[in-house]
Amino acid sequence: MLTAPRRADEPRTAGPEPHRSRRPVLLAAALLALAAGLWACWSVTVDDAYITYRYSANLAHGFGATWNPGQDPVEGFTNFSWMLWHAPWVWLGVPLPIVSKLTAGACAAVIVWVLVTEPRTRSGAVVAAGSFALFLPTWVHVDSGLETGPFALVVLRAVVLAARLLHDRDAAVRAGEIPLLLLLAGTLRPDGVLGVAPALLVLLWLRRRDRTVWLWTAGAGVVGVVYLAGRWLYYGHLLPNTFYVKVGVEAATDGRWLQLTAATFLPLLAFAVAALFRTRVAAPAALVLASCTALWIIPALSAPAMDYLSRFAWHGFPLLCLAAAWALDTADLRRVAAGAAVVAVAWTTAAGFLAPDARTLVHYGDDLRRAHIAIGLALADTDLPAERRTVAVTDAGAIPYFSEWTTTDYIGLNDERLAHGASPTDVLLADDPTVLVVTSSTPEPPPASWRTDLPRVLGDRELVGVAQMRPEYFQLVFAKPDVAGDVRAALDQRLAEARAVTDARLDPGYTRWVERLSGSS
């Protein structure tokens, strides 16, 4: 267990802290709070997760990790090892959202265990575990189907190991663990290397005379280079396809991302900074802040549009929880520390519920089921020959996954042509999909959709159905005249089924959420 450095006058074998006998109670309470939150948000699986699932399914079925079987491979995902993890479960017939939720839930439980056991004091454990387990975005991100939870655990583990070395360079830290964590983080997310790099630098500096450490680091580096080379050879580009789309479209430096992150985590950030001025924990706190800065530099500069509940900030959230605990561990007045812990937990909990998109995200699963999933299932039901099973979408997640149709993603996340500058209008005219799904803020087709000349692309296609996800979020389904009747019939049936199994409400808000959970709506 990580402990703060001893003072010169402190006994070398100090006895256990008075609160340690209560740790099982605190651990049980934190895990119970986490479990309750995960249950409350269990229906949430974000549309982006189904992009990864499609690649996993294609890999499992022998088509390779690609978007459309039989076409040139394209890398529209950024979580290679997460995609790989799901592939074997396809063979076993286990629903991939269940795999994601259970895996991420187990990782979140381990994070709670770390946050309860690493601090030296009761106040430290309360602020760390309480802030994490009662934070609504924690529940959403763990249930979302994305790699967010496992990635956060990998970074937290690396920082904890490096902090132990800062306390005692002879601590029992295995030579290869941090290099392997760096490799795992980099395959979970390309920017994962940045988050673990400060921990690796600590290891390399403090154990610079240990040849084993350098051998493990070199070995991890070789594997990483082989992985990058393999991706380059297979996909034809060094970086994931999504990078070329997002950097060109989403780049922004207006500071809003940083402002929201700072406001949400204000007490935790304040404690982490305060810890820099406490000799006993200054070095570990500096490590946490360096790791958070490395994790956050890209989203801070690019203001990512698909940053559900600030999920790119959440990667560093467990680190801040731990740094805040270290700061309270050094407080001389325990009652003051206890009060500060309560304030920090209350602030973080409230900030989670007051987050701009929190009221929308708790309904994400029901809303997606009523629109995107229903459309995907309807297309799968439509009896068309394989060469006619083609669709174009902007929301490239659940619709392609459930339909299994050849899909043109005309945002470009899963289309190499668009990612490298081709016109969406030209691409859609060339692909000539049987079905075109248009995202709109009204039930009427907009004049353009994602830089696309929509009237020109639609041609003589007929509007066969409208699926409403939210008050101002519609999916308009257009089909070629010769198949319009078949698509319309399948769509009508699936939309009716979706309305029957969801709460059929569109309003965001916690009242609807509570009523759904209680079974009263």
Side-chain angles (χ1 to χ4, degrees):
M1 184 187 65
L2 178 64
T3 56
R6 292 182 297 272
R7 297 188 300 268
D9 59 345
E10 196 172 307
R12 190 168 181 80
T13 55
E17 293 294 317
H19 80 289
R20 290 188 188 274
S21 62
R22 301 186 184 181
R23 290 227 172 151
V25 176
L26 178 58
L27 177 61
L31 289 175
L32 182 62
L34 176 67
L38 297 185
W39 167 80
C41 294
W42 187 257
S43 66
V44 177
T45 305
V46 300
D47 197 46
D48 287 4
Y50 290 100
I51 295 178
T52 300
Y53 299 158
R54 181 173 168 102
Y55 283 92
S56 299
N58 284 337
L59 179 62
H61 292 144
F63 301 119
T66 189
W67 181 242
N68 287 318
Q71 296 185 2
D72 288 340
V74 59
E75 187 180 15
F77 58 93
T78 56
N79 45 14
F80 176 78
S81 43
W82 189 239
M83 182 277 299
L84 203 63
W85 164 248
H86 286 78
W89 299 99
V90 176
W91 302 329
L92 298 174
V94 181
L96 297 190
I98 299 297
V99 175
S100 295
K101 294 173 192 291
L102 293 180
T103 304
C107 292
V110 175
I111 291 175
V112 167
W113 179 81
V114 171
L115 297 179
V116 168
T117 58
E118 289 294 335
R120 294 178 64 249
T121 64
R122 181 188 311 164
S123 299
V126 166
V127 75
S131 296
F132 180 83
L134 295 175
F135 193 45
L136 185 145
T138 293
W139 312 337
V140 170
H141 294 319
V142 172
D143 279 335
S144 69
L146 297 171
E147 77 292 338
T148 313
F151 178 65
L153 174 60
V154 168
V155 176
L156 177 65
R157 174 63 178 173
V159 168
V160 166
L161 292 175
R164 290 177 180 173
L165 290 172
L166 289 170
H167 166 55
D168 178 4
R169 68 177 58 194
D170 296 321
V173 174
R174 290 182 288 272
E177 188 167 357
I178 294 179
L180 290 177
L181 288 170
L182 180 80
L183 184 63
L184 179 56
T187 57
L188 277 170
R189 289 196 56 78
D191 54 338
V193 172
L194 299 177
V196 179
L200 181 64
L201 292 175
V202 168
L203 171 71
L204 294 177
W205 174 252
L206 294 179
R207 292 195 172 172
R208 55 191 177 275
R209 295 184 177 85
D210 187 339
R211 291 183 58 191
T212 307
V213 168
W214 289 101
L215 286 173
W216 274 104
T217 303
V222 169
V223 173
V225 169
V226 170
Y227 160 70
L228 291 174
R231 285 178 49 251
W232 195 353
L233 290 173
Y234 185 67
Y235 292 113
H237 299 280
L238 183 61
L239 298 172
N241 194 69
T242 52
F243 170 83
Y244 300 99
V245 177
K246 293 185 177 182
V247 169
V249 174
E250 297 179 8
T253 54
D254 56 15
R256 285 178 295 177
W257 191 93
L258 282 175
Q259 293 169 12
L260 178 61
T261 300
T264 302
F265 299 147
L266 184 59
L268 302 180
L269 281 168
F271 287 143
V273 171
L276 295 174
F277 302 94
R278 306 291 287 184
T279 303
R280 294 167 57 190
V281 294
L287 172 63
V288 164
L289 292 173
S291 299
C292 287
T293 300
L295 284 171
W296 294 346
I297 187 67
I298 294 177
L301 294 177
S302 63
M306 299 176 188
D307 190 27
Y308 307 109
L309 271 180
S310 302
R311 75 180 180 97
F312 297 117
W314 191 87
H315 293 150
F317 176 53
L319 302 181
L320 287 182
C321 291
L322 188 56
W326 289 336
L328 294 186
D329 284 347
T330 65
D332 297 324
L333 299 176
R334 304 317 312 162
R335 290 185 179 180
V336 172
V342 170
V343 169
V345 172
W347 179 290
T348 307
T349 301
F353 279 91
L354 296 174
D357 48 352
R359 293 173 179 83
T360 298
L361 264 293
V362 295
H363 303 296
Y364 197 111
D366 250 30
D367 295 343
L368 196 73
R369 174 70 181 87
R370 186 173 50 244
H372 300 62
I373 294 177
I375 295 172
L377 292 172
L379 295 181
D381 293 341
T382 305
D383 186 17
L384 294 178
E387 65 273 12
R388 298 295 307 279
R389 296 167 73 87
T390 56
V391 61
V393 299
T394 53
D395 287 355
I399 296 174
Y401 175 74
F402 284 100
S403 70
E404 299 184 350
W405 283 24
T406 298
T407 304
T408 301
D409 168 12
Y410 64 99
I411 284 182
L413 298 177
N414 299 279
D415 193 291
E416 186 178 276
R417 299 164 296 177
L418 293 169
H420 293 273
S423 162
T425 300
D426 293 341
V427 167
L428 289 173
L429 289 173
D431 289 355
D432 192 26
T434 300
V435 173
L436 184 71
V437 183
V438 177
T439 301
S440 175
S441 60
T442 72
E444 300 296 328
S449 176
W450 201 260
R451 299 175 291 126
T452 301
D453 184 348
L454 201 54
R456 183 181 173 199
V457 168
L458 285 175
D460 62 351
R461 290 179 179 84
E462 299 177 14
L463 179 63
V464 296
V466 177
Q468 187 173 10
M469 182 179 182
R470 298 184 190 127
E472 296 182 355
Y473 204 113
F474 297 82
Q475 296 293 331
L476 314 182
V477 183
F478 295 86
K480 289 191 173 182
D482 61 325
V483 301
D486 293 336
V487 176
R488 182 182 290 109
L491 188 58
D492 287 345
Q493 180 178 342
R494 286 296 186 175
L495 290 175
E497 292 175 357
R499 287 191 293 268
V501 298
T502 61
D503 61 15
R505 291 171 59 180
L506 298 169
D507 56 300
Y510 293 124
T511 301
R512 173 188 166 197
W513 185 40
V514 172
E515 289 176 355
R516 186 172 70 250
L517 293 176
S518 64
S520 60
S521 71

